[in-house]
Amino acid sequence: MTTPFSPDQAPHAEALHGLALTAGGGIGYSTDPVFAWNRWPAEGRRVWLVSGGGAGHEPMHAGFLGEGGLDVAVPGEVFTSPHNGQVVAAVEHVAEPGAEVLLIVKNYTGDVINFAIARERLEAKGYSVGTLVVDDDLGSEGAEAGRRGTGATVVLEKILGAAADAGQGLGELLELGRRVGARTRSLAVARAAHTRPGGGEGFEVEQGSLEYGVGIHGETAAETIADPGVEQLVGRMVDELLDSLGHEDAPAGADYVVMVNGLGGVSNLELSHIAAQAAAALRGRGAELASLVAGTYISALDMRGFSLTLTAADDAAWVGYWIAPHAAPGLPHPRIAEAAEDTGPRSANTGHEDGKGASSQWLDALAERFEGYREPLNALDQRSGDGDMGTNLSHGVRRAAERGAASPDEELDALASAFLDEVGGSSGPLFGLVLSELARAERRGEGVRAGLEAVQRVGGAKPGDRTMLDALAPAAEHEELDAAAVRAAVEGAASTKDLRGRRGRASYLGERVLGAPDPGAVAMALVLHAVAERDGVDLEGVDAAGLLG
Ligand code: ADP
Ligand code: MG
């Protein structure tokens, strides 16, 4: 069954309407037959750039319409070639017979056939037509029909758009396009298939596996591989792309234009990470980065995967076209890459390394114990929050252990500063406050009360709001942090399973949080238990870890 948000439920003609609305008047479109065009071409342009193919690869091609990009885009149904009649009608709409037209066609049978027929029909009407077939996909190297056309389409349409605006004629554009195309290769991988047009399941990728060399229409790849992790995966892809471009034989100093492209279901965060890995892999092979872009330019509906496209830059002139400004909503905005040393990380000196203490047995043991709490606490946080409470808590203790303490007297301070400085989430800094009050107070009982006050002051919650306060407040009713106080904290934490959330993420979930205790309250009980134990309190029969179920 498809859902209302399913990408195959978006009629592409209506999607064109949406695109036109967002383009502020620059993009016109027709629904019968379906095509779209740039309404504001550059003055110097003499050749009309036309491209098209099945829908489902947005922003390609209609998103590439605009000054510095395409003049005409002709989408078919999802993953289906447009009809040649659409192409003819689109060209006739923007250009008079006698005009020069360049058809940019991805190497897929349906596209090749329909654009070939369109070309003959246009020539018969007096247009002067050239065709550029894009065939860059290494994943289909050696196939009978030749390599498929994928990411190079973006590179070519960007470069040819700028070159056309510079006044180049059809012959020059064809030559430039062939040269850039011949030096461009792409490779794609997927962790999961896209939503299938018309419903039904796409190809299956087992957990821990990747389809390597996948196409952009849901065809499985030639190879299924065990996921080697992003670094190795990107390294392998860059290696194969460089090899196929003959990098070893390239004259020293060959530069590469690199495009990291999401296939529709990959976060921007991941794409930037992949970009960093790709730059490192190039460096590792002694290849220079001329320009790097990362984004979603040619998608496969919502496929969870990405492609890498490398172009060996033989000539600075077309790199200038690659980085030229443009007005197309979906084309990349490339820049010339900076040297690695200028883009490397800068770290603010927070002074953590100064005063690093000796390792502490207590902190080391605590780090190990809290590592064991990570998963169960995450599971509790998953029910009411975002599932990271255990990770936050064990990270804080681990960092304190790594920092160490100058003497046993400073172990609690070390714990407090690790939480204050380095642990995120809502709970990290609040634990930092409580721990610093516990470390600072003359008597531990006073520390618990000061901690309670501090958390209320900063977090604005009250006991009963289903937070860590529901463990802290009952403990604060005791004069000292003794066994009775820790037991009260454990019982308080357990009681949160009947409380609705009024603070933090749990507050958005109403009754859905009932039945399991608040992870922050459980963590507070565990922390108080650990501190009392360190003080030598006899905690026989006080089972804080039992809260984890
Ligand atoms: P985040 O919600 O940012 O992911 P964590 O997962 O680290 O934060 O911590 C969640 C815990 O933080 C909750 O279970 C709750 O006990 C505690 N918490 C959230 N908001 C407050 C608040 N205002 N006062 C006290 N504790 C809070
Ligand atoms: Mg959380």
Side-chain angles (χ1 to χ4, degrees), residues 381 384 386 388-389 392 424-428 430 455 459-461 466-469 503-505 518-521:
D381 193 29
S384 55
D386 55 352
D388 62 354
M389 169 81 240
N392 293 342
S426 313
S427 68
L430 297 179
V455 172
R466 192 184 162 91
T467 70
M468 59 175 69
L469 288 172
R503 290 282 157 180
R505 299 181 200 264
D518 172 63

Side-chain angles (χ1 to χ4, degrees), residues 117-133:
I117 298 173
R119 175 181 180 161
E120 288 180 6
R121 291 177 61 186
L122 287 166
E123 283 174 340
K125 290 172 189 277
Y127 292 89
S128 186
V129 187
T131 306
L132 191 63
V133 176

